[in-house]
Amino acid sequence: MTKPETGRMQRALDVLAERAGDALRVTSGAAAGLTLAQVTAALDSVLVVCDLVGRMLGPVMDRVEQIGERELTERPGESGRALLEDAGLHLSYGRDGLAAARALLAVGLAEIVKVEQGET
């Protein structure tokens, strides 16, 4: 990844974090007044964000692996490479955890939709 692409990527992630913070502040104050239909729409948006975050992790995790394989092989010793391998494993578990959380949120959303549509 070239320097301009790296800067662009970091700016995009910074914007995401800022917007997520803005959304948290709004939803924290407004959640009490939501209807069931609005709750389902909000949860659907949360699922979209989970999907996007999971997809964003892929290229970052790939780069960690590339650095471990290519760039650290030139250095003496294995400690840096071993740490990056451990980091890759933890990142993978984190991404899997995010996928599990997303799946559970989707099940909860489906149950809410059933109630909303009178399927109880």
Side-chain angles (χ1 to χ4, degrees):
M1 196 177 303
T2 64
K3 293 284 183 193
E5 289 173 344
T6 302
R8 230 177 37 188
M9 181 189 81
Q10 189 59 53
R11 282 191 305 275
L13 293 172
D14 290 344
V15 168
L16 174 64
E18 183 180 323
R19 297 293 183 188
D22 292 345
L24 174 62
R25 284 185 287 282
V26 171
T27 56
S28 294
L34 294 178
T35 65
L36 208 49
Q38 291 167 326
V39 167
T40 61
L43 285 171
D44 190 52
S45 294
V46 169
L47 293 177
V48 169
V49 171
C50 288
D51 290 338
L52 294 173
V53 169
R55 289 174 41 202
M56 286 187 290
L57 285 171
V60 173
M61 292 170 61
D62 290 346
R63 183 60 183 142
V64 170
E65 185 178 338
Q66 289 171 354
I67 290 170
E69 290 174 355
R70 295 180 190 159
E71 296 176 22
L72 291 182
T73 56
E74 299 169 4
R75 297 182 191 175
E78 288 291 318
S79 63
R81 187 173 181 169
L83 284 173
L84 284 184
E85 286 175 1
D86 288 348
L89 183 63
H90 291 112
L91 291 171
S92 179
Y93 289 155
R95 184 176 55 187
D96 292 349
L98 177 62
R102 193 250 181 248
L104 291 169
L105 290 169
V107 169
L109 173 59
E111 291 167 342
I112 292 170
V113 168
K114 286 180 182 178
V115 172
E116 181 187 13
Q117 295 176 348
E119 296 178 20
T120 57

